[in-house]
Amino acid sequence: METATIYQLFERQQQTQLQWLTSTADERIARLKKLRKALEQYREALQTSMQLELRKPLFELSLHEIEFVLAELRYTIENLKEWMAPKYVPASMGTLSSVSYSQAQPRGVSLILSPWNYPVQLTLCPVIAAIAAGCCCMVKPSELVPQTAEVLQKIIAAAFTEAEICVVNGGVELSTLLLSLPFSHIHFTGSPQVGKVVMKAAAEHLCEVTLELGGKSPAVVDETANVAHAAAAITFGKFVNAGQTCIAPDYVLVHTSLAEKLVVALSQAVKKNYYSTGKLEKADYAQIINAKHFDRITGLLQDALAQGARLALGGESTKADLTIEPTIVAGVRADMKLMQEEIFGPVLPILTFNTPQEALDIIRALDKPLAAYIFAGKARRKDFYLAQIQAGGITVNDTLLHIANMNLPFGGINNSGVGKTHGHYGFMGFSNERGIVKQGWMRLSRVAHPPYARKNWMIRVMRYFLR
Ligand code: NAD
């Protein structure tokens, strides 16, 4: 896309933003409903493109992409009036004769950059948050899913003018151009490496960022855990979308006493979920996005096996259709490559520990993860891990669920993300929450104006009350 065109679009959006600055809840709700109508209109086109580009099972793409976005839309429409309403707070000593409240205002024209793994959810949920907050925005989906990106462009074009919201399609060059513009907010979802590029570019304009990144999310299976339940939950969380899920359990830490039992239970769960006919049911199992990632993931596996890890399940792969079968690797050590980068594929390393402290040491040697999963039977153990593990979000005795409740904040910490999203948190990401004081007729603040000569007693009174 021409540089001049991008600059023009940005300028036109800045003009529209001046009108959107004062948009009412009803106007924003009307925009959200337009988006919903366009999404319904292009539902089938989205299904086709996601099946083509990722071989996403219909059930998965319906639930995790389209219905997920529709649920976010419904939730936002239901709650927007309350989020936009002023939030009154009590007066402090300095503001006694006035009224204080906070109220959200749109930050301004925003940029949304999204990844390929959940291309619809991770593009449209931030768009919903931007619309709710009253922001115009430019949206760039991942170039690795060009057909889905094209349908997303049509959806947005069906609901909005380019001067309001637009999708621009392209690769790194286009991202770099977009990042040079003085946006008011950038919502980026992708890898920590590119997250750093985005944050540096944003710093040039002191632009606010929400960074939804990734990392190595552990699943800890404590000696008090129910092994069968843990295995079923980890199997689902790891192999849905063939492991290409930002909050998938990246690796398992299991108490030594349960390690063998867990590997058997995981293998049984994988067979039950994906091999009900004896061979891999590809209709229920996504492909790897491209040959580069296929080579990267199989390379990590080969390296671990060469370093002495043991294949407990799977290991087969077919490059022709970019399939890597669900794979479990036992005897993995922290110094193997498999444990040094986010796997983002269907290979599950199993590491063992003897004491909870040992498990914590392994987790803390890596960057703080986006998610963590704790499997434990005893409340004391759950509380111990909950208090000690620093992760963006946590699910206890299951996987992935903390992303499914829109009342909760979603996001990472440090290397796995900056800022939170979903529901009210997404709305706040694109809003500037202003503290507002309206002075009353008594104007008590005048007592603190000079001359100060006969006012020192006031400090003594203040000290007495603020003790
Ligand atoms: P990515 O960082 O390679 O790409 C994301 C976006 O950034 C794309 O739109 C891409 O065009 C753009 N981009 C790529 N390189 C760039 C550069 N040098 N400069 C500017 N822009 C650039 O990520 P990906 O491969 O699409 O997605 C996988 C990663 O995303 C994983 O790390 C995963 O954990 C993470 N992720 C996080 C979440 C979350 O919600 N936290 C969700 C999904 C994926």
Side-chain angles (χ1 to χ4, degrees), residues 113-118 122 140-144 170-172 175-176 179 188-195 197-198 211-215 245-247 293 342 344 370 403 410-412 416 421:
L113 297 172
S114 62
W116 49 265
N117 61 332
Y118 289 85
L122 296 173
K140 197 202 80 62
S142 171
E143 67 278 22
L144 300 192
V172 175
S175 285
T176 310
L179 286 171
F188 169 81
T189 310
S191 58
Q193 298 89 304
V194 180
V197 174
V198 171
L211 304 177
E212 293 290 340
L213 312 175
T245 302
C246 57
I247 51 168
H293 280 280
E342 181 183 7
F344 218 55
L370 181 60
I403 200 175
F410 179 80
S416 57
T421 188

Side-chain angles (χ1 to χ4, degrees), residues 85-325:
K87 310 278 178 299
Y88 289 93
V89 295
S92 66
M93 189 174 270
T95 64
L96 274 180
S97 60
S98 55
V99 173
S100 299
Y101 62 99
S102 65
Q103 193 165 29
Q105 191 178 44
R107 276 195 190 285
V109 180
S110 300
L111 174 65
I112 294 169
L113 297 172
S114 62
W116 49 265
N117 61 332
Y118 289 85
V120 175
Q121 182 204 133
L122 296 173
T123 306
L124 293 184
C125 285
V127 170
I128 293 168
I131 296 171
C135 292
C136 293
C137 56
M138 294 173 76
V139 185
K140 197 202 80 62
S142 171
E143 67 278 22
L144 300 192
V145 281
Q147 297 214 18
T148 306
E150 217 179 291
V151 183
L152 287 166
Q153 193 170 41
K154 287 183 183 154
I155 291 173
I156 295 298
F160 302 100
T161 67
E162 281 184 338
E164 295 172 331
I165 300 177
C166 66
V167 170
V168 288
N169 279 323
V172 175
E173 211 178 306
L174 178 60
S175 285
T176 310
L177 173 63
L178 290 166
L179 286 171
S180 70
L181 293 169
F183 284 100
S184 297
H185 186 73
I186 301 177
H187 184 111
F188 169 81
T189 310
S191 58
Q193 298 89 304
V194 180
K196 289 175 192 171
V197 174
V198 171
M199 200 161 180
K200 274 189 193 143
E204 278 303 310
H205 304 290
L206 291 177
C207 167
E208 288 273 341
V209 290
T210 302
L211 304 177
E212 293 290 340
L213 312 175
K216 289 189 84 64
S217 301
V220 180
V221 183
D222 183 73
E223 61 189 309
T224 65
N226 178 318
V227 172
H229 291 177
I234 293 169
T235 299
F236 173 70
K238 179 70 182 186
F239 299 111
V240 66
N241 209 31
Q244 303 163 113
T245 302
C246 57
I247 51 168
D250 186 274
Y251 62 100
V252 169
L253 281 167
V254 56
H255 190 269
T256 313
S257 64
L258 296 182
E260 263 180 52
K261 225 170 130 185
L262 182 72
V263 169
V264 171
L266 283 166
S267 305
Q268 282 168 350
V270 168
K271 295 234 159 78
K272 177 169 163 272
N273 288 6
Y274 298 107
Y275 294 84
S276 54
T277 56
K279 63 177 181 38
L280 178 66
E281 276 303 319
K282 292 188 182 172
D284 285 347
Y285 189 66
Q287 67 172 65
I288 302 303
I289 181 65
N290 59 21
K292 189 175 146 212
H293 280 280
F294 180 95
D295 290 343
R296 181 185 61 77
I297 300 161
T298 48
L300 288 175
L301 174 62
Q302 292 316 320
D303 181 77
L305 297 178
Q307 305 278 328
R310 182 174 56 80
L311 198 60
L313 182 80
E316 287 89 34
S317 54
T318 317
K319 197 162 181 178
D321 65 0
L322 297 173
T323 300
I324 299 178
E325 301 205 16

